Amino acid sequence: MSHVLSAAELSELIATEPRLRLLDVRWRLDRPDGRADHLAGHIAGAVYVDLDGELAAPGDPSLGRHPLPASADLQDAARRWGVNAGDVVVAYDDVRGIAAARAWWLLRQAGVDVKILDGGLRAWTAAGHVLESGTVTPTPGDIELAEIGADALSIDEAAVLPASGILIDVRAPERYRGESEPLDPAAGHIPGAVNVPTGELFAADGLLLGQDALRRRFADAGVTEDTPVAAYCGSGIAATHTALVLSEIGIEAAVFPGSWSQWSRTDGRPVATGARPQGGVAEAVHA
């Protein structure tokens, strides 16, 4: 079953599904607080979700920039969004589904029927659908979430995965190679990780590539249905989108939520540079 909806499919679902809850996960690296954008225009009925405050835990930089929230905190947030048992949840954003995938990844683990809008808000408006403005205040929900975390790798598990499976670094190639690092204290990648940039998974119109093209791209990186696979990124957001895409082609993947922001702040963690998975390994990183 697909976890991705087209704009046309979402429009039909809005018209026919009375138990639909829409989540507006408006977040970008350059504009992490999307509340003002949400107020200015959102899909009718959509509730704003604070990615930094509700889809991540506050605090300890040693755990990365977006640590997993506690299961109880995520449940409290879902109830604030008005989610009830049995609801169908659809998340969207304005970055082609990359931020919304964080909600998908967490809520799916917690037992929620959740999907994302392919192409995000831009695909919705490009299809001719209108937006509404203002605040959406739902009636609190009663959802009971299962514990999350089973699909998450620890830093130690991420370190050893390349010996037995495929660890995917989804960041831009120049960050993977160690030529640029705008956010974290060291440049490079986890030794043994292969680079499949998130941007390579989209067509020119911002929608996901077809399944055959996606299968070929991941097969080129060594990913098969029998291969243990996990993804990481800068801080555990874009990696969840890669997990979503892999799920769409029948491959289940874990996520290292600490990602490079945790790895690069942890003493003793080696760093590889260059285009090869094991290239140019330095002895250690010092936070």
Short mmCIF file of all heavy atoms in Angstrom, two decimals, residues 203-259:
data_model
loop_
_atom_site.label_atom_id
_atom_site.label_comp_id
_atom_site.label_asym_id
_atom_site.label_seq_id
_atom_site.Cartn_x
_atom_site.Cartn_y
_atom_site.Cartn_z
N ALA A 203 11.61 14.21 -9.78
CA ALA A 203 11.57 14.66 -11.16
C ALA A 203 11.64 16.19 -11.18
O ALA A 203 11.60 16.85 -10.14
CB ALA A 203 10.29 14.17 -11.83
N ALA A 204 11.72 16.76 -12.38
CA ALA A 204 11.86 18.20 -12.53
C ALA A 204 10.68 18.96 -11.95
O ALA A 204 10.81 20.12 -11.53
CB ALA A 204 12.05 18.56 -13.99
N ASP A 205 9.50 18.34 -11.90
CA ASP A 205 8.31 19.01 -11.38
C ASP A 205 8.18 18.93 -9.87
O ASP A 205 7.19 19.39 -9.29
CB ASP A 205 7.05 18.47 -12.04
CG ASP A 205 6.85 16.96 -11.83
OD1 ASP A 205 7.66 16.35 -11.09
OD2 ASP A 205 5.91 16.40 -12.42
N GLY A 206 9.17 18.34 -9.19
CA GLY A 206 9.14 18.24 -7.73
C GLY A 206 8.42 17.02 -7.20
O GLY A 206 8.38 16.82 -5.98
N LEU A 207 7.86 16.21 -8.09
CA LEU A 207 7.22 14.96 -7.67
C LEU A 207 8.25 13.84 -7.63
O LEU A 207 9.30 13.91 -8.27
CB LEU A 207 6.09 14.60 -8.62
CG LEU A 207 4.97 15.64 -8.77
CD1 LEU A 207 3.95 15.14 -9.79
CD2 LEU A 207 4.30 15.95 -7.44
N LEU A 208 7.95 12.80 -6.87
CA LEU A 208 8.85 11.65 -6.81
C LEU A 208 9.00 11.00 -8.18
O LEU A 208 8.05 10.95 -8.98
CB LEU A 208 8.33 10.61 -5.83
CG LEU A 208 8.49 10.90 -4.34
CD1 LEU A 208 7.81 9.80 -3.53
CD2 LEU A 208 9.96 11.01 -3.96
N LEU A 209 10.20 10.51 -8.44
CA LEU A 209 10.40 9.70 -9.64
C LEU A 209 9.51 8.46 -9.61
O LEU A 209 9.04 8.05 -8.54
CB LEU A 209 11.86 9.25 -9.73
CG LEU A 209 12.92 10.34 -9.92
CD1 LEU A 209 14.31 9.72 -9.76
CD2 LEU A 209 12.78 11.00 -11.29
N GLY A 210 9.30 7.85 -10.76
CA GLY A 210 8.54 6.61 -10.82
C GLY A 210 9.27 5.48 -10.10
O GLY A 210 10.48 5.54 -9.88
N GLN A 211 8.54 4.46 -9.75
CA GLN A 211 9.13 3.38 -8.95
C GLN A 211 10.27 2.67 -9.66
O GLN A 211 11.26 2.29 -9.02
CB GLN A 211 8.04 2.40 -8.54
CG GLN A 211 7.06 2.99 -7.54
CD GLN A 211 6.26 1.93 -6.80
OE1 GLN A 211 6.42 0.73 -7.02
NE2 GLN A 211 5.40 2.37 -5.90
N ASP A 212 10.19 2.48 -10.97
CA ASP A 212 11.28 1.81 -11.68
C ASP A 212 12.56 2.63 -11.59
O ASP A 212 13.66 2.08 -11.36
CB ASP A 212 10.90 1.58 -13.15
CG ASP A 212 9.85 0.50 -13.32
OD1 ASP A 212 9.63 -0.28 -12.36
OD2 ASP A 212 9.24 0.43 -14.40
N ALA A 213 12.46 3.94 -11.77
CA ALA A 213 13.63 4.81 -11.69
C ALA A 213 14.20 4.80 -10.27
O ALA A 213 15.42 4.80 -10.07
CB ALA A 213 13.27 6.22 -12.11
N LEU A 214 13.33 4.80 -9.27
CA LEU A 214 13.80 4.76 -7.89
C LEU A 214 14.50 3.44 -7.58
O LEU A 214 15.55 3.43 -6.92
CB LEU A 214 12.63 4.97 -6.93
CG LEU A 214 11.99 6.37 -6.95
CD1 LEU A 214 10.70 6.38 -6.15
CD2 LEU A 214 12.97 7.42 -6.41
N ARG A 215 13.94 2.35 -8.05
CA ARG A 215 14.59 1.05 -7.83
C ARG A 215 15.98 1.03 -8.45
O ARG A 215 16.94 0.51 -7.85
CB ARG A 215 13.74 -0.08 -8.41
CG ARG A 215 12.48 -0.38 -7.61
CD ARG A 215 11.82 -1.66 -8.09
NE ARG A 215 10.59 -1.91 -7.36
CZ ARG A 215 9.39 -1.52 -7.77
NH1 ARG A 215 9.26 -0.87 -8.93
NH2 ARG A 215 8.32 -1.77 -7.04
N ARG A 216 16.12 1.57 -9.65
CA ARG A 216 17.42 1.59 -10.30
C ARG A 216 18.42 2.43 -9.52
O ARG A 216 19.58 2.05 -9.36
CB ARG A 216 17.30 2.12 -11.74
CG ARG A 216 16.64 1.17 -12.71
CD ARG A 216 16.84 1.63 -14.15
NE ARG A 216 16.20 2.92 -14.41
CZ ARG A 216 14.95 3.05 -14.84
NH1 ARG A 216 14.18 1.98 -15.02
NH2 ARG A 216 14.45 4.26 -15.07
N ARG A 217 17.97 3.58 -9.02
CA ARG A 217 18.90 4.46 -8.29
C ARG A 217 19.40 3.78 -7.03
O ARG A 217 20.61 3.83 -6.71
CB ARG A 217 18.19 5.78 -7.92
CG ARG A 217 19.11 6.75 -7.18
CD ARG A 217 20.27 7.16 -8.06
NE ARG A 217 21.28 7.93 -7.35
CZ ARG A 217 22.34 7.40 -6.74
NH1 ARG A 217 22.53 6.08 -6.73
NH2 ARG A 217 23.23 8.18 -6.15
N PHE A 218 18.53 3.12 -6.29
CA PHE A 218 18.98 2.47 -5.07
C PHE A 218 19.74 1.19 -5.36
O PHE A 218 20.69 0.85 -4.63
CB PHE A 218 17.79 2.22 -4.14
CG PHE A 218 17.31 3.45 -3.45
CD1 PHE A 218 16.11 4.05 -3.81
CD2 PHE A 218 18.07 4.04 -2.45
CE1 PHE A 218 15.67 5.21 -3.18
CE2 PHE A 218 17.64 5.20 -1.82
CZ PHE A 218 16.44 5.79 -2.19
N ALA A 219 19.38 0.49 -6.42
CA ALA A 219 20.15 -0.70 -6.80
C ALA A 219 21.58 -0.32 -7.16
O ALA A 219 22.53 -1.04 -6.84
CB ALA A 219 19.48 -1.40 -7.98
N ASP A 220 21.75 0.83 -7.80
CA ASP A 220 23.10 1.31 -8.13
C ASP A 220 23.93 1.54 -6.87
O ASP A 220 25.16 1.47 -6.92
CB ASP A 220 23.01 2.63 -8.92
CG ASP A 220 22.52 2.43 -10.34
OD1 ASP A 220 22.51 1.28 -10.82
OD2 ASP A 220 22.13 3.44 -10.97
N ALA A 221 23.26 1.82 -5.76
CA ALA A 221 23.95 2.03 -4.48
C ALA A 221 24.13 0.74 -3.69
O ALA A 221 24.66 0.77 -2.58
CB ALA A 221 23.19 3.05 -3.64
N GLY A 222 23.66 -0.37 -4.26
CA GLY A 222 23.82 -1.66 -3.60
C GLY A 222 22.65 -2.10 -2.76
O GLY A 222 22.73 -3.12 -2.06
N VAL A 223 21.55 -1.36 -2.80
CA VAL A 223 20.39 -1.68 -1.98
C VAL A 223 19.53 -2.72 -2.68
O VAL A 223 19.13 -2.54 -3.83
CB VAL A 223 19.56 -0.42 -1.69
CG1 VAL A 223 18.31 -0.76 -0.89
CG2 VAL A 223 20.40 0.61 -0.94
N THR A 224 19.22 -3.80 -1.99
CA THR A 224 18.30 -4.81 -2.48
C THR A 224 17.29 -5.12 -1.37
O THR A 224 17.43 -4.66 -0.23
CB THR A 224 19.03 -6.11 -2.86
OG1 THR A 224 19.50 -6.76 -1.65
CG2 THR A 224 20.22 -5.84 -3.77
N GLU A 225 16.29 -5.93 -1.71
CA GLU A 225 15.28 -6.28 -0.71
C GLU A 225 15.87 -7.11 0.43
O GLU A 225 15.29 -7.16 1.52
CB GLU A 225 14.14 -7.06 -1.38
CG GLU A 225 13.32 -6.22 -2.35
CD GLU A 225 12.17 -6.98 -2.95
OE1 GLU A 225 11.93 -8.13 -2.50
OE2 GLU A 225 11.52 -6.44 -3.86
N ASP A 226 17.00 -7.74 0.21
CA ASP A 226 17.61 -8.60 1.23
C ASP A 226 18.73 -7.90 1.99
O ASP A 226 19.38 -8.53 2.83
CB ASP A 226 18.17 -9.87 0.57
CG ASP A 226 17.08 -10.68 -0.12
OD1 ASP A 226 15.96 -10.74 0.41
OD2 ASP A 226 17.36 -11.24 -1.20
N THR A 227 18.95 -6.63 1.72
CA THR A 227 20.06 -5.90 2.33
C THR A 227 19.58 -5.09 3.52
O THR A 227 18.66 -4.28 3.38
CB THR A 227 20.68 -4.92 1.31
OG1 THR A 227 20.99 -5.61 0.10
CG2 THR A 227 21.95 -4.29 1.86
N PRO A 228 20.19 -5.27 4.69
CA PRO A 228 19.88 -4.33 5.78
C PRO A 228 20.27 -2.92 5.34
O PRO A 228 21.38 -2.70 4.83
CB PRO A 228 20.76 -4.82 6.93
CG PRO A 228 21.08 -6.25 6.60
CD PRO A 228 21.15 -6.31 5.11
N VAL A 229 19.38 -1.97 5.51
CA VAL A 229 19.64 -0.62 5.02
C VAL A 229 19.12 0.41 6.01
O VAL A 229 18.10 0.20 6.68
CB VAL A 229 19.00 -0.41 3.62
CG1 VAL A 229 17.51 -0.64 3.66
CG2 VAL A 229 19.32 0.96 3.05
N ALA A 230 19.85 1.51 6.12
CA ALA A 230 19.44 2.63 6.95
C ALA A 230 19.93 3.91 6.29
O ALA A 230 20.83 3.89 5.45
CB ALA A 230 20.01 2.52 8.36
N ALA A 231 19.32 5.02 6.68
CA ALA A 231 19.66 6.31 6.10
C ALA A 231 19.98 7.32 7.19
O ALA A 231 19.46 7.24 8.30
CB ALA A 231 18.50 6.83 5.24
N TYR A 232 20.86 8.25 6.85
CA TYR A 232 21.09 9.41 7.72
C TYR A 232 21.26 10.64 6.85
O TYR A 232 21.47 10.55 5.63
CB TYR A 232 22.29 9.19 8.64
CG TYR A 232 23.65 9.34 7.99
CD1 TYR A 232 24.31 10.58 7.99
CD2 TYR A 232 24.30 8.25 7.40
CE1 TYR A 232 25.57 10.72 7.41
CE2 TYR A 232 25.54 8.38 6.82
CZ TYR A 232 26.18 9.62 6.83
OH TYR A 232 27.42 9.76 6.24
N CYS A 233 21.17 11.81 7.50
CA CYS A 233 21.27 13.08 6.78
C CYS A 233 22.03 14.04 7.68
O CYS A 233 22.96 13.65 8.37
CB CYS A 233 19.89 13.60 6.41
SG CYS A 233 18.74 13.73 7.82
N GLY A 234 21.64 15.31 7.67
CA GLY A 234 22.28 16.25 8.57
C GLY A 234 21.78 16.14 9.99
O GLY A 234 22.56 16.09 10.94
N SER A 235 20.43 16.07 10.14
CA SER A 235 19.88 16.06 11.50
C SER A 235 18.66 15.17 11.67
O SER A 235 17.92 15.33 12.63
CB SER A 235 19.50 17.50 11.91
OG SER A 235 18.42 17.97 11.13
N GLY A 236 18.45 14.23 10.75
CA GLY A 236 17.37 13.27 10.94
C GLY A 236 16.04 13.66 10.33
O GLY A 236 15.01 13.10 10.71
N ILE A 237 16.04 14.60 9.38
CA ILE A 237 14.80 14.98 8.70
C ILE A 237 14.76 14.35 7.30
O ILE A 237 13.91 13.51 7.02
CB ILE A 237 14.66 16.51 8.59
CG1 ILE A 237 14.76 17.15 9.98
CG2 ILE A 237 13.33 16.87 7.92
CD1 ILE A 237 13.76 16.66 10.98
N ALA A 238 15.68 14.73 6.44
CA ALA A 238 15.67 14.21 5.07
C ALA A 238 15.83 12.69 5.03
O ALA A 238 15.32 12.04 4.11
CB ALA A 238 16.77 14.88 4.25
N ALA A 239 16.52 12.11 6.00
CA ALA A 239 16.69 10.66 6.02
C ALA A 239 15.36 9.94 6.14
O ALA A 239 15.18 8.83 5.61
CB ALA A 239 17.61 10.25 7.17
N THR A 240 14.40 10.55 6.83
CA THR A 240 13.09 9.90 6.94
C THR A 240 12.37 9.88 5.59
O THR A 240 11.59 8.98 5.33
CB THR A 240 12.21 10.60 8.00
OG1 THR A 240 11.94 11.95 7.61
CG2 THR A 240 12.87 10.60 9.36
N HIS A 241 12.65 10.88 4.76
CA HIS A 241 12.07 10.88 3.42
C HIS A 241 12.63 9.73 2.59
O HIS A 241 11.90 9.06 1.85
CB HIS A 241 12.34 12.22 2.73
CG HIS A 241 11.71 12.34 1.38
ND1 HIS A 241 12.38 11.98 0.23
CD2 HIS A 241 10.48 12.74 0.99
CE1 HIS A 241 11.58 12.17 -0.81
NE2 HIS A 241 10.43 12.62 -0.37
N THR A 242 13.93 9.46 2.73
CA THR A 242 14.53 8.32 2.03
C THR A 242 13.91 7.02 2.52
O THR A 242 13.64 6.11 1.73
CB THR A 242 16.04 8.32 2.22
OG1 THR A 242 16.58 9.50 1.58
CG2 THR A 242 16.69 7.09 1.60
N ALA A 243 13.65 6.91 3.82
CA ALA A 243 12.98 5.72 4.34
C ALA A 243 11.59 5.57 3.73
O ALA A 243 11.14 4.46 3.41
CB ALA A 243 12.89 5.78 5.86
N LEU A 244 10.88 6.69 3.58
CA LEU A 244 9.57 6.67 2.94
C LEU A 244 9.67 6.18 1.50
O LEU A 244 8.90 5.31 1.07
CB LEU A 244 8.97 8.07 2.97
CG LEU A 244 7.74 8.33 2.10
CD1 LEU A 244 6.52 7.69 2.71
CD2 LEU A 244 7.52 9.82 1.89
N VAL A 245 10.62 6.72 0.75
CA VAL A 245 10.77 6.34 -0.66
C VAL A 245 11.12 4.86 -0.77
O VAL A 245 10.58 4.14 -1.62
CB VAL A 245 11.84 7.22 -1.34
CG1 VAL A 245 12.14 6.71 -2.74
CG2 VAL A 245 11.38 8.67 -1.38
N LEU A 246 12.01 4.39 0.08
CA LEU A 246 12.36 2.96 0.05
C LEU A 246 11.14 2.10 0.37
O LEU A 246 10.94 1.04 -0.24
CB LEU A 246 13.50 2.68 1.02
CG LEU A 246 14.88 3.14 0.54
CD1 LEU A 246 15.88 3.14 1.69
CD2 LEU A 246 15.38 2.23 -0.58
N SER A 247 10.33 2.53 1.31
CA SER A 247 9.11 1.78 1.62
C SER A 247 8.20 1.70 0.41
O SER A 247 7.55 0.67 0.18
CB SER A 247 8.38 2.45 2.80
OG SER A 247 7.20 1.76 3.12
N GLU A 248 8.16 2.77 -0.38
CA GLU A 248 7.32 2.78 -1.58
C GLU A 248 7.76 1.74 -2.59
O GLU A 248 6.94 1.27 -3.40
CB GLU A 248 7.33 4.17 -2.23
CG GLU A 248 6.57 5.23 -1.46
CD GLU A 248 5.08 4.93 -1.43
OE1 GLU A 248 4.41 5.05 -2.48
OE2 GLU A 248 4.57 4.55 -0.35
N ILE A 249 9.03 1.36 -2.60
CA ILE A 249 9.50 0.35 -3.55
C ILE A 249 9.72 -1.01 -2.86
O ILE A 249 10.42 -1.88 -3.38
CB ILE A 249 10.78 0.80 -4.28
CG1 ILE A 249 11.93 1.07 -3.31
CG2 ILE A 249 10.48 2.04 -5.12
CD1 ILE A 249 13.26 1.37 -4.02
N GLY A 250 9.13 -1.16 -1.68
CA GLY A 250 9.11 -2.46 -1.02
C GLY A 250 10.33 -2.79 -0.18
O GLY A 250 10.57 -3.96 0.13
N ILE A 251 11.09 -1.78 0.22
CA ILE A 251 12.28 -2.00 1.03
C ILE A 251 12.14 -1.22 2.32
O ILE A 251 11.96 0.00 2.31
CB ILE A 251 13.55 -1.56 0.28
CG1 ILE A 251 13.75 -2.42 -0.98
CG2 ILE A 251 14.78 -1.65 1.18
CD1 ILE A 251 14.85 -1.94 -1.89
N GLU A 252 12.21 -1.90 3.45
CA GLU A 252 12.09 -1.24 4.74
C GLU A 252 13.48 -0.79 5.21
O GLU A 252 14.43 -1.57 5.19
CB GLU A 252 11.46 -2.16 5.77
CG GLU A 252 10.00 -2.49 5.47
CD GLU A 252 9.13 -1.24 5.38
OE1 GLU A 252 9.24 -0.37 6.28
OE2 GLU A 252 8.35 -1.13 4.42
N ALA A 253 13.57 0.45 5.62
CA ALA A 253 14.85 1.02 6.04
C ALA A 253 14.72 1.65 7.41
O ALA A 253 13.69 2.24 7.75
CB ALA A 253 15.30 2.08 5.03
N ALA A 254 15.78 1.56 8.18
CA ALA A 254 15.86 2.26 9.45
C ALA A 254 16.42 3.66 9.21
O ALA A 254 16.87 4.00 8.11
CB ALA A 254 16.74 1.49 10.43
N VAL A 255 16.40 4.49 10.25
CA VAL A 255 16.94 5.85 10.19
C VAL A 255 17.85 6.05 11.39
O VAL A 255 17.53 5.61 12.51
CB VAL A 255 15.81 6.90 10.19
CG1 VAL A 255 16.35 8.31 10.40
CG2 VAL A 255 15.02 6.83 8.89
N PHE A 256 18.99 6.70 11.15
CA PHE A 256 19.85 7.13 12.25
C PHE A 256 19.47 8.57 12.56
O PHE A 256 19.90 9.50 11.89
CB PHE A 256 21.31 7.01 11.82
CG PHE A 256 22.31 7.65 12.75
CD1 PHE A 256 22.10 7.73 14.12
CD2 PHE A 256 23.49 8.17 12.24
CE1 PHE A 256 23.03 8.33 14.97
CE2 PHE A 256 24.43 8.77 13.07
CZ PHE A 256 24.21 8.85 14.43
N PRO A 257 18.61 8.80 13.57
CA PRO A 257 18.06 10.14 13.78
C PRO A 257 19.09 11.17 14.23
O PRO A 257 18.95 12.36 13.96
CB PRO A 257 16.98 9.93 14.84
CG PRO A 257 17.32 8.65 15.50
CD PRO A 257 18.00 7.81 14.47
N GLY A 258 20.14 10.74 14.93
CA GLY A 258 21.19 11.68 15.30
C GLY A 258 21.92 12.22 14.09
O GLY A 258 22.37 13.37 14.09
N SER A 259 22.06 11.37 13.08
CA SER A 259 22.65 11.72 11.79
C SER A 259 24.00 12.43 11.96
O SER A 259 24.68 12.26 12.96
CB SER A 259 21.66 12.53 10.97
OG SER A 259 20.64 11.68 10.45
#
